[in-house]
Amino acid sequence: MENSTQESHPRPENVVTYESPFPIYAMAISAVNRRRVAVGSFIEELKNRVDILSFSEDSSSLKPVPSLSFDHPYPPTKLLFHPSVSAPSNLLASSGDFLRLWEVKDSSIAAVSTLNNSKTSEYSAPLTSFDWNEVEPRRIGTSSIDTTCTIWDIEKGVVETQLIAHDKEVYDIAWGEAGVFASVSADGSVRIFDLRDKEHSTIIYESPMPDTPLLRLAWNKQDLRYMATILMDSNKIVILDIRSPTMPVAELERHSASVNAIAWAPQSARHICSAGDDAQALLWELPTVAGPNGIDPMSMYSAGAEINQLQWSAAQPDWIAVAFANKMQMLKV
């Protein structure tokens, strides 16, 4: 990614592109096998696909592995590989109509389980997102349009707990510590939950404009005091310090259109990347003290279309993955 004082055209060897026959949304990079990248189609019908790609840094290539492509009901809203490098098998999770687990083998895919959080129906309210607990990988938390968050024990295949988390649809969820997670919602709030005290939650931020939904939440894994969130139809990234609720510590406002995705650097506490409808991916370094004129990004990348999704994985900390239209790109940072 180029410095923001120059034109944003990274050298070709720093950008690796995969072109899909379908629009792409969800993406994930494997911790067990760093060459494995999963991408999900976004087709507004039942039949969708997940393709497993092989990423080679040496040959700057992203190529599909045909034996590892599989059909997926509805577009996956998120994909994540098992977070542990020492996981016994290369598990991939997906959300959509249900939470599903898949085992990615060398030359085949096996469906492991389909987890339905509805106690009363064979159908469940659509899942908007989920997060895999890095400290306790048996736990996955899901967020749903039915106002709930569900914590699964995936080893036992049972619901550990289900909470009415918000007043409206829950759009994203992120783990902090082993038993602590946070969520954002159409009700415009960021709430933190501790599984040791399920009756209470802490509201640490509310949209300045009433009823403006918060769409995404990213918890800084290198410094758990900090979170980032984005508002619907807003060009702002809001940086929060959970020690001082209600007042953001910074607002990053250099996108020229709505922000769609955010990701903290997996190896640094002060860097965050954002991407949006202006077709820009911006890399920011948060200063200790923000100046009066706001914060400028340290570098930027221009894609060919609105960027819908962004991943910065601990498995590949030198590369940021972005998705736009039917392309997925790995950007060297």
Side-chain angles (χ1 to χ4, degrees):
M1 293 171 80
E2 293 288 294
N3 190 283
S4 59
T5 58
Q6 305 160 6
E7 282 295 305
S8 52
H9 298 293
R11 292 184 297 278
E13 66 268 23
N14 291 339
V15 180
V16 184
T17 304
Y18 165 69
E19 196 161 338
S20 167
F22 315 106
I24 292 173
Y25 181 67
M27 300 182 295
I29 300 170
S30 170
V32 174
N33 180 349
R34 294 170 62 239
R35 292 168 61 90
R36 291 277 187 256
V37 178
V39 293
S41 65
F42 192 90
I43 308 162
E44 293 187 39
E45 54 190 57
L46 176 61
K47 188 175 179 182
N48 275 260
R49 288 186 68 71
V50 174
D51 290 309
I52 306 293
L53 314 177
S54 178
F55 171 56
S56 169
E57 212 170 327
D58 299 332
S59 62
S60 292
S61 64
L62 266 171
K63 293 179 178 161
V65 184
S67 62
L68 297 181
S69 291
F70 59 97
D71 289 340
H72 190 281
Y74 303 102
T77 53
K78 190 168 184 176
L79 294 167
L80 278 180
F81 281 96
H82 192 295
S84 171
V85 179
S86 56
S89 60
N90 201 11
L91 280 181
L92 175 70
S94 65
S95 55
D97 53 347
F98 301 110
L99 177 66
R100 298 171 190 269
L101 294 173
W102 317 81
E103 185 179 353
V104 182
K105 301 178 182 178
D106 287 341
S107 57
S108 64
I109 293 276
V112 178
S113 54
T114 299
L115 303 173
N116 178 0
N117 66 3
S118 171
K119 301 179 180 71
T120 56
S121 167
E122 62 183 296
Y123 303 105
S124 109
L127 302 177
T128 51
S129 186
F130 71 96
D131 197 23
W132 209 318
N133 193 315
E134 292 179 16
V135 185
E136 290 187 321
R138 66 182 176 83
R139 279 178 170 159
I140 287 181
T142 63
S143 56
S144 171
I145 64 167
D146 68 2
T147 76
T148 67
C149 290
T150 304
I151 309 303
W152 284 94
D153 182 328
I154 60 164
E155 290 176 5
K156 296 177 181 171
V158 298
V159 171
E160 189 178 324
T161 189
Q162 188 173 36
L163 304 166
I164 295 174
H166 289 267
D167 303 326
K168 293 182 178 177
E169 300 95 322
V170 190
Y171 286 140
D172 205 4
I173 181 171
W175 288 101
E177 301 163 52
V180 178
F181 69 89
S183 57
V184 292
S185 162
D187 66 15
S189 67
V190 179
R191 303 187 187 198
I192 296 181
F193 298 84
D194 189 325
L195 295 179
R196 293 165 297 190
D197 180 13
K198 301 187 187 83
E199 301 302 312
H200 301 96
S201 66
T202 306
I203 296 177
I204 64 158
Y205 178 73
E206 291 185 288
S207 299
M209 296 154 289
D211 291 329
T212 302
L214 301 178
L215 299 183
R216 291 282 165 254
L217 178 69
W219 205 325
N220 187 335
K221 294 295 195 290
Q222 294 296 318
D223 188 339
L224 291 171
R225 295 173 298 181
Y226 295 103
M227 290 181 184
T229 187
I230 55 177
L231 294 83
M232 182 179 279
D233 300 328
S234 167
N235 72 329
K236 280 197 305 197
I237 301 104
V238 179
I239 308 295
L240 306 171
D241 182 334
I242 64 174
R243 297 165 302 176
S244 53
T246 70
M247 270 308 285
V249 289
E251 293 186 336
L252 311 178
E253 301 183 76
R254 295 296 185 262
H255 278 281
S256 57
S258 301
V259 181
N260 295 324
I262 44 175
W264 290 97
Q267 78 286 35
S268 157
R270 303 210 69 79
H271 293 87
I272 189 169
C273 189
S274 58
D277 280 352
D278 56 3
Q280 303 276 340
L282 303 182
L283 183 58
W284 311 79
E285 181 175 15
L286 299 180
T288 313
V289 180
N293 300 318
I295 300 166
D296 288 320
M298 58 186 286
S299 60
M300 64 188 289
Y301 171 69
S302 293
E306 294 97 338
I307 301 175
N308 299 313
Q309 185 61 279
L310 162 75
Q311 291 289 325
W312 198 347
S313 169
Q316 292 279 10
D318 296 335
W319 295 83
I320 290 173
V322 295
F324 55 94
N326 66 327
K327 291 187 175 72
M328 181 262 193
Q329 288 186 328
M330 299 283 280
L331 313 174
K332 188 86 177 269
V333 290

